[in-house]
Amino acid sequence: MLKSLIGALVPLLAAVVALAFGATMLLALGASPVEGFSAMFDGAFGSGSRIAATAVKATPLILVGAGITIAFRANVINIGGESQIIAGALLSTVVALSFPDLPTILLVPAVLLAGLVGGGILGAIPGALKAYASVNEILSTIMLNLVMVQFMNYLLRGPLIDPYEMEAGTRIPQTQRLSDNAMLPNLVDGTRLHLGVPVAILAAVGAYLLLWRTPTGFRLRAVGHSADAARASGMNVKRNITLALALSGSLAGIAGAILVFGSEGQRMVTDGSAAGFTGSAGFNGIVAALFGGLHPIWTIPSAMLFGALLTGATQLQRVLQVPAALAVALNGIIVIFVVSSTPVRGWIQRSLSEAGLFNRHNDTKTENPRHSRSEPGGLSDMPDPSEESGNV
Amino acid sequence: MSDFFTLSVLVATAASGIRLATPYLLASLGETVGQRSGVLNLGVDGVMLLSAFFSYWVVLKTGNLWLAVLVGVAVGLVMGLLYGFITVVLNATQGISGIGIYIFGLGLSDLLFRRQVGTPKPVRRLPDVDIPVLSDIPHLGPALFQRNLLTYLAFLLIPTTMFLLGRTTFGLNIRSVGENPSAADSLGVSVRRTRFAAILIANSMAGLAGAALVLQLGIFQPNLTQGMGFIAVALVYFGAWRPIGVMCGALLYGLVNATVLQWKALGIIPVNGSDLAAMAPAVLTILALVVLARRVSAPAALTRPFSRH
Amino acid sequence: MNGITKAFPGVVANDSIDFDVRYGEVHTLLGENGAGKSTLVKILFGLYQSDEGSIRLRNDPMEITAPAEAISARIGMIHQHFMLVPTLTVAENVALGTASTRRPFTDLDLVSERVADISRQHGLAVDPSVEVRRLAVGERQRVEIVKALYRDVELLVLDEPTAVLTPGEVDDLFVILRRMADSGHGLIFISHKLREVMSLSDRITVLRNGRVVQTITPAETSTEELAQMMVGRSVNLAPDKPKREPGGVRLEVQGLTVQGDREEISVRQVDLLVRSGEILGVAGVSGNGQRELAEAIAGLRSVEAGGVVRLDGIDVTDRDVRARRDQGLGYISEERMKDGAIAEFTVGENLLLVEHGSKKFTRRGMLAFGAINKHCEKLVEDFGVKTPSVETPTSSLSGGNIQKVILARELSAKPKVLLACQPTRGVDIGATEYIHNLLIEQRDLGTATLLISEDLDEVLGLADRIAVMYEGRIVGIVPVEEARRNQIGLMMAGVPEQEARNSP
């Protein structure tokens, strides 16, 4: 009871700290925090269509975030969301360009599947490199982000560029307008709410079921907590590590397809940077997952909150001329806060249990005081992947 | 292609390679010290962005280059205090904390730039300083000895770092807390203090790297580094945690980048081909990691928070 | 030390302990694992703070809150796990944490000179310029002693220093320690090996469950009495074990050669046969290849060409862990919290670690929690695991109970071959007896058991035949009824079987 109370306090406190920091920033930038926050709230939830826009903004964050939780539970860190989103988007774009005349009922699943496959490949590569060549996945996923941005630029400026852009000589790096049949159907008229939103929510629920209700998830979690014990009990640790990153990447890949086929422009477009296409969803998804306690289900509301922050920040820029990058800085603060509160929470729990506030059974004693603070579902239950990353 | 293999073009490429290597070298050397103490900082890119912005802003407002360098280092130091507090005092997970620092630096530098400057305006760059006599050596002189002071400083910091790690008590403490913090602790060496100090060094050098980057370019824009800080972290692995190895990696990077730029300018590769060529450094890093991963061993306590139990 | 009390969540490790040591004596702290020996000396060395009680050094009250303060009070400690930095040289390890005469630079040349002096003076051969990772275990221990002497310690704590040494190395160590005591050092020696304690100590303090049982001199007592004090009642060291005729060969190991972690050869040309219904015990000092042998049989470590492992007649040399388990192998690993169980998993999840994917426990690809919970609850009851529920995190159980969880998991699969490594290490006496009886029961059911243990009494008590391992080789195999303790002891030190048999 007390434990879950402390567990719930962390995101709340993080939110308070972020708000306080945001207010300070607004003041420093010469804007009124009250006006600023109300503009943000209005921008995110002010009308039905704005709520829909927030949900659409949250969609890639839910997917990337749910993927992050799968990787984390298997003790691998996936910083490669950006590259996996891009790969998913590119592959699904190629599919839509190749089969523009397929009916919607086939083409939409096909592009989503292509996204899944594209992202999955970009996840499987660092996964296999970690499992079979001991390459640190943090470094390799980051490097793949850098690689895929350039690859996207190459394709969108070259082979995939809108022929019209070539003729006109404007050379904006974007594809031609993609087939209407590939576009994600709109769910509520007059809003941007499209099929991608329920797809993402289903994917997050699926991630939860996978992790806690299937033998595969059991193995992923076992490998995450103790690769040695998993190996000794007959699990294939290398395959599971690869699988974890591939699954994680495939969810991000779906997000990539949704970004393209849920876009207003009906095409894939960039400004030459990764964020120009992804909106940094690959990083913001990490933030959403952390804020959601690395639990796929909690990632959904958490991603909504960050979706709101992003749409709110756009409104902030429109109304008060405060750059939307404020939201990015706030995200950073939230990550730092959530991460540093985990050990603090451990201390609080330990000192409370030493004070006898948690009932511990008298006939059991502690094998290892360091491990005595585990709590299923909470952050402290999470393995610390970086501890394993001593290898290159 | 034959345009490229002329002496003057090669010398110019080498010169620009060394210039481009400077920020990598500064950041990687600092990160080497940090990692030898057992602390991984993935936030280098964020620190570089912040310090680059502040350095730029100082030059824009005052025109004073050395004040700008100082401010860049100071920004790094402040970020080091933050990172040290999170990872050493609170014992938080290093990997994700670093990503938090990165996102924070990315966002804040972007925000401040758009608010305080708006559109990129060029500023004064670091002047090249000829070293007497040496700069007159044909070909080699212009490539090596007509560089800016921060480049010279970066190369001077290589032996300095080696000396620090190898020959001083502080360096001995750094190496021991990075390999076996319990042993160091049992001998009365303060693991926290040593790591905190190493983090401050690492971050102020990341700050210096940001300043060097922006003062060599003479311009700032959001996300100026485009992931350079992450490459700098990878270079430490690449260089097997040794200053000389790190230098080789940084030079290689600088030269590859310079060559790509040169080829683009000479029209050896087509315009959109340059995007493919720009993939080279990151691909190279991944390949290097694959080759090196099993051959070199990281400091044993890297990324492991320390507590007595 | 007076009235020292220290509690951890769920345990009182030290309960008002009084303890004193005089300069010039070896005072032993004797007790089982978990009796509170290590906690007490860690408080003395400033690694833990006591909740109550006081420490006085030469009658002056002391507050020791960090190792640095202990060191400046000239207290030294040699930890069970050596506190050395493997990538640094001996001189650098010695210099670490001491003031240099050339601050801020190091003065390793001066350190090396003094190390050489100390080595000569105390008969401790160490080369100051070698990296520690290149040294053998015995040499590393000498470096630890040099480190202490370099700091002019007056009081030295040795936490189970003999655990990793061969009998010969133990004798050498005792000569050094005796000499140190005679030259006025106070030594606190921690051990649970009764014979060593009797031969080295001037005084012995026995701890049990965090309390002092008695302080006594060796002349006033006997090994039997000490054992009784240690465990609190008379101990039946040899469990009842009716003789039984073994059946067919279940595990066969031929010409097995295995590399260790540092790519050194750890197991050399080992041949072993274990039959249905027998326990083959492997005795040996820690670090003589037992761990590598077990891991190679379990499929966790690859073997050199030429070696063969057969389970129930089938060659599994190139098969993975899964295939070997399917072939009827059960494995109780040496370090239970490393690869035996997962601390963060619940008791139920740990019980399911091997069989979670089987048809019994899945329905339409999903885990069938009804069947799973029933299975786990039955195992918890059958094996007497003390846990509030199967949902309890395993980390909150005692060592003995975690070991029971592992045994329940491995034995419920009805293994044909059981590989039991240090099955009672760090387990309380009650659970140890229970586990011993389980292993014998399992033998009587026809399981072929390979028991690897560093506890010679355990091997003598359980095994039908005893194989002695030294430097990766099987020195000899002796039927238990012919085995004499000192003969096995000599073989553990590398003396060939024939020679050992002829010794008095």
Side-chain angles (χ1 to χ4, degrees), chain B residues 195-263:
Chain B
R195 286 190 168 172
F196 211 116
I199 289 174
L200 290 183
I201 292 176
N203 279 266
S204 36
M205 282 176 73
L208 188 59
L213 174 70
V214 83
L215 297 179
Q216 285 184 345
L217 285 170
I219 196 128
F220 185 89
Q221 65 183 46
N223 195 16
L224 177 78
T225 51
Q226 307 253 5
M228 285 178 76
F230 289 111
I231 298 215
V233 175
L235 283 177
V236 179
Y237 286 73
F238 188 101
W241 292 270
R242 288 188 161 65
I244 291 283
V246 165
M247 177 196 77
C248 295
L251 276 178
L252 186 67
Y253 262 81
L255 289 174
V256 168
N257 280 335
T259 309
V260 169
L261 287 175
Q262 193 68 257
W263 283 0

Side-chain angles (χ1 to χ4, degrees), chain B residues 169-216:
Chain B
T169 314
F170 179 52
L172 185 62
N173 291 350
I174 287 180
R175 286 184 287 143
S176 66
V177 302
E179 287 288 342
N180 189 348
S182 307
D185 180 57
S186 76
L187 295 174
V189 174
S190 167
V191 178
R192 289 189 170 186
R193 214 175 298 153
T194 308
R195 286 190 168 172
F196 211 116
I199 289 174
L200 290 183
I201 292 176
N203 279 266
S204 36
M205 282 176 73
L208 188 59
L213 174 70
V214 83
L215 297 179
Q216 285 184 345

Side-chain angles (χ1 to χ4, degrees), chain B residues 117-128:
Chain B
V117 185
T119 48
K121 300 181 193 101
V123 294
R124 270 180 68 199
R125 291 198 236 170
L126 279 176
D128 287 345

Side-chain angles (χ1 to χ4, degrees), chain A residues 213 219 221 232 366-367 371, chain C residues 9 325 349 356 367 395 399:
Chain A
R213 294 279 184 272
R219 283 192 284 273
R221 289 187 298 119
T366 308
E367 160 87 344
H371 286 294
Chain C
R325 283 185 171 278
E349 285 175 317
H356 59 275
L367 293 168
S395 57

Side-chain angles (χ1 to χ4, degrees), chain A residues 56-76:
Chain A
V56 168
K57 250 316 186 226
T59 302
L61 307 190
I62 296 173
L63 283 160
V64 174
I68 296 286
T69 60
I70 296 177
F72 247 101
R73 295 288 166 179
N75 200 13
V76 280

